[in-house]
Amino acid sequence: MTLWSGRFSSSMDTTLWDLSESYSFDHILYHHDIMGSKAHVRGLEHARILTNEEASTLCGVLDDIEAEFDRGAFVRVGSDEDIHTAIERRATEILGPLGAKIHTGRSRNDQVATTLRLFTRDAIGEVLRSIFALVDALVALGDANELAYLPGYTHLQRAQPVLLSHHLNAHAWALLRDVDRLGDARRRCNVSPLGAGALAGTSLDLDPQIPATILGFESTFANSLDAVSDRDFVAETLFDVALLGVHLSRMGEELVLWTSSEFAFATLADQFTTGSSMLPQKKNSDVAELARGKAGRLVGNLTGLLVTLKGLPLSYNRDLQEDKEPLFDSLRQVMLVLTALTGAYRALSFHSSTAQAGADDQALVAIDIAEDLVKEGVPFRQAHEEVGKLVAESVASGETLRDVVLRHQEYSRFSGLFDVGTSLRRRSSPGASGPLARDEQRRRLDERVRTLKNLLEGET
Ligand code: ARG
C-alpha cells in the first residue's frame, strides 16, 4: 500500500510502478531528505502542532533511520515509491501515529525541492574543492618546469613561443571561471521552498522561516507555485558542469596530442595509462580521452533537462522527477574526471627539449622582426608585408628565415632575434607568455584563488 492509496480502489499497474518509482535512484538523497524532515518537524513544533517531546522523539527516530542507511541496513519495502515515502513509512512503522504526523503541512512537492536543493548545494561544494585541486596541480606542474616553453598555436599551426606555466595557467583561469559560476549557482540553490506545500501553501500556522534558518538557507520562497516548480538551480548546475566538462575535454584533447609520438611534448605516468589487448607496445592516454569524451554526456544531461522543463505548466508535474538522474550523473562523472585529471597532471613528465625545439622554429621570429621595424617607425602593415616577403623567400628557397635575413643587408641587424629563447623573453606585455609577465600573472592567479576560496568558504 502506498502512502496515498486512500482514494483508490485498485492498486497501481506494475508497468506504471516501474515507470514511476524513483527509489532506485533517489535513495542517495536520504541524508538531505532527513535533514529537511528534521527542520520541518521543528517548524511543526514551533507552530505547536507537535509538542517539544514529540518533535524530539521524531527527530531522534529520523536520526536512527539515517544511521540505518549509513550502515546499509535500511530495508526498502515493495510500496516505497521514492526516498521520501520510504523514510516516512519507516518512521511510522517505528512510531505509529506520531510518525504519521511528520507530513503535516508538507507535500512531497516542497519536500523534494528542498531535499534536492540541499543535496545540490553540498555537491557543488565538492566539485569546487576538486576544481581547486586541479588548478593547484596545473600551477605545480608549471612551477616544476619553470623555464620550459613550447610553441603556442593558433589554428593548430605554430604561432609564438609560450612558457609552459603560461599555457597551463590558461586552463587554470578557465577553471576559476567555472568556480565562480558554480558559486553563483550554489547561491541560487540557497532559497528554501519548504512550506509551499503541494502548490499553494497551507492553512496551518507554519512559518517557512523556521526550517529555512535551521537548514542554513539564505531566504525562503516568495511564491508557492514557483517554489515547487522551479528547477532552474538544477539546469544551472548542469550548465556549469557541462561547461566545466567542455574545459576538461579541451585539456584532455591537448594531453592526447602532447603524449602522441608526433608531438612527444609529454608522457603520462604509467598509472594513468592503459595498454592494448593486442599490441604489446601500446601505451594509451585513456585518462585524457575519457576527459574529452565525458563532455558529450554532460552536455546531453543539460539538454535533456531543458527539454523536460520546456512547456511544463505550473506547478509540480511528475516530469520533474526526471531532474535527478541527469544531475546525479553529471556530478558523478565530472568528479571522476576532475580527480583523475588532477592525478594525471601531478604525475606528468614534460619534455622541454622536444617542446622547445618546436618553439625555436625560426619562422616564429617573423613577428619580432616586424615589431622591431615598427619600433623604428615603419607602419605595421608595411612591416608585415616586408617580413612576409622574407618568409615567402625562405619557404621558396628552403633556407631558414635567419639565413634569408642575413643575406639581405637591410635586415641583417635583426639576426640577433633568432638567438634561442629571445622571442619568448620579448613577450613581456601584461598577461603575455614570457617570463617577465609571468610573475605578475602568477600573483593575480594566486590572489584570484584566495579570493574565491574565501568567498566560497564563507558560504554554504
Ligand atoms: N519522487 C517524486 C519526484 O522526484 C517526488 C514528488 C512526487 N510528488 C507527487 N505529487 N507525485 O519528483
Side-chain angles (χ1 to χ4, degrees):
M1 201 173 74
T2 57
L3 295 185
W4 40 260
S5 59
R7 58 109 51 227
F8 292 85
S9 51
S10 61
S11 59
M12 195 192 288
D13 191 90
T14 56
T15 58
L16 173 57
W17 179 262
D18 291 345
L19 176 68
S20 63
E21 73 80 31
S22 57
Y23 184 93
S24 52
F25 52 87
D26 68 15
H27 63 270
I28 65 164
L29 295 172
Y30 74 86
H31 167 69
H32 298 97
D33 198 62
I34 286 174
M35 255 175 98
S37 287
K38 283 163 57 181
H40 176 62
V41 165
R42 293 301 173 190
L44 293 173
E45 177 188 21
H46 190 262
R48 301 189 193 290
I49 293 168
L50 294 174
T51 65
N52 301 359
E53 207 191 322
E54 283 177 326
S56 296
T57 307
L58 262 171
C59 287
V61 162
L62 286 167
D63 285 337
D64 294 344
I65 296 174
E66 178 163 12
E68 287 180 5
F69 276 103
D70 288 342
R71 292 199 305 276
F74 184 89
V75 183
R76 178 192 186 182
V77 305
S79 59
D80 290 342
E81 197 181 1
D82 54 23
I83 186 63
H84 324 290
T85 49
I87 290 168
E88 186 186 337
R89 187 267 309 152
R90 180 74 182 125
T92 309
E93 198 171 82
I94 299 171
L95 289 169
L98 179 55
K101 288 187 180 178
I102 197 171
H103 212 52
T104 313
R106 182 177 72 169
S107 156
R108 268 186 298 163
N109 301 349
D110 57 346
Q111 181 180 3
V112 68
T114 306
T115 301
L116 203 58
R117 281 173 182 272
L118 292 170
F119 169 86
T120 308
R121 191 172 76 173
D122 280 353
I124 288 177
E126 272 178 54
V127 176
L128 292 176
R129 278 188 287 282
S130 299
I131 301 177
F132 282 128
L134 178 54
V135 167
D136 201 60
L138 290 168
V139 171
L141 183 60
D143 284 351
N145 297 273
E146 210 191 345
L147 302 176
Y149 58 96
L150 69 158
Y153 298 82
T154 59
H155 312 272
L156 205 57
Q157 307 287 333
R158 284 177 190 161
Q160 291 187 275
V162 299
L163 279 171
L164 174 67
S165 54
H166 183 70
H167 186 106
L168 295 169
N169 286 349
H171 294 307
W173 284 108
L175 292 170
L176 293 178
R177 287 195 296 276
D178 292 319
V179 165
D180 197 29
R181 252 187 301 275
L182 281 160
D184 269 351
R186 188 169 67 171
R187 236 160 277 143
R188 279 183 288 277
C189 284
N190 243 338
V191 181
S192 178
L194 198 56
L199 76 164
T202 170
S203 65
L204 299 169
D205 188 21
L206 285 175
D207 178 3
Q209 191 55 57
I210 304 290
T213 304
I214 295 171
L215 295 171
F217 281 123
E218 268 166 21
S219 59
T220 59
F221 67 97
N223 180 303
S224 61
L225 292 172
D226 183 41
V228 295
S229 57
D230 172 19
R231 292 296 182 276
D232 292 0
F233 68 100
V234 181
E236 237 184 292
T237 303
L238 286 178
F239 170 77
D240 293 352
V241 167
L243 187 54
L244 166 60
V246 167
H247 293 149
L248 299 173
S249 95
R250 296 178 64 183
M251 295 162 70
E253 165 63 3
E254 181 174 283
L255 285 175
V256 170
L257 288 175
W258 282 10
T259 58
S260 66
S261 310
E262 284 67 20
F263 271 74
F265 284 5
T267 306
L268 284 163
D270 277 3
Q271 64 270 34
F272 287 99
T273 54
T274 60
S276 156
S277 58
M278 180 174 169
L279 309 174
Q281 86 284 7
K282 290 298 295 293
K283 176 169 162 171
N284 296 328
S285 305
D286 294 29
V287 63
E289 293 167 72
L290 285 165
R292 187 177 60 190
K294 294 283 187 190
R297 180 165 172 178
L298 302 176
V299 173
N301 286 335
L302 167 66
T303 313
L305 180 78
L306 288 175
V307 177
T308 296
L309 297 178
K310 179 199 166 293
L312 278 189
L314 289 173
S315 60
Y316 180 84
N317 297 276
R318 194 60 179 269
D319 316 44
L320 290 177
Q321 186 169 284
E322 290 297 309
D323 58 359
K324 287 175 203 64
E325 283 168 295
L327 178 67
F328 299 162
D329 184 59
S330 283
L331 289 168
R332 193 177 126 70
Q333 297 304 323
V334 87
M335 286 296 290
L336 289 171
V337 174
L338 281 168
T339 43
L341 261 190
T342 301
Y345 277 109
R346 286 212 178 279
L348 188 84
S349 313
F350 188 76
H351 307 311
S352 38
S353 51
T354 333
Q356 283 169 209
D360 293 334
D361 178 343
Q362 293 187 8
L364 275 53
V365 175
I367 182 64
D368 292 288
I369 302 172
E371 286 183 352
D372 273 11
L373 283 169
V374 165
K375 286 176 200 161
E376 293 174 2
V378 179
F380 177 71
R381 194 47 60 212
Q382 187 188 322
H384 187 288
E385 178 72 16
E386 282 181 41
V387 180
K389 290 216 167 80
L390 297 174
V391 172
E393 234 181 281
S394 126
V395 171
S397 67
E399 291 167 289
T400 65
L401 185 59
R402 181 169 180 277
D403 286 345
V404 173
V405 164
L406 280 172
R407 198 149 43 72
H408 291 274
Q409 232 187 353
E410 68 272 38
Y411 296 115
S412 58
R413 65 187 177 285
F414 298 124
S415 64
L417 293 173
F418 291 93
D419 295 349
V420 166
T422 301
S423 180
L424 176 73
R425 274 192 300 280
R426 287 162 52 94
R427 316 259 70 78
S428 54
S429 59
S433 65
L436 276 177
R438 185 229 334 252
D439 297 343
E440 169 62 8
Q441 179 186 173
R442 178 59 189 277
R443 199 192 53 69
R444 284 179 66 178
L445 189 71
D446 288 348
E447 188 184 295
R448 185 73 184 136
V449 168
R450 255 196 322 276
T451 307
L452 285 167
K453 279 189 176 165
N454 286 342
L455 185 77
L456 296 166
E457 261 162 30
E459 301 169 353
T460 41

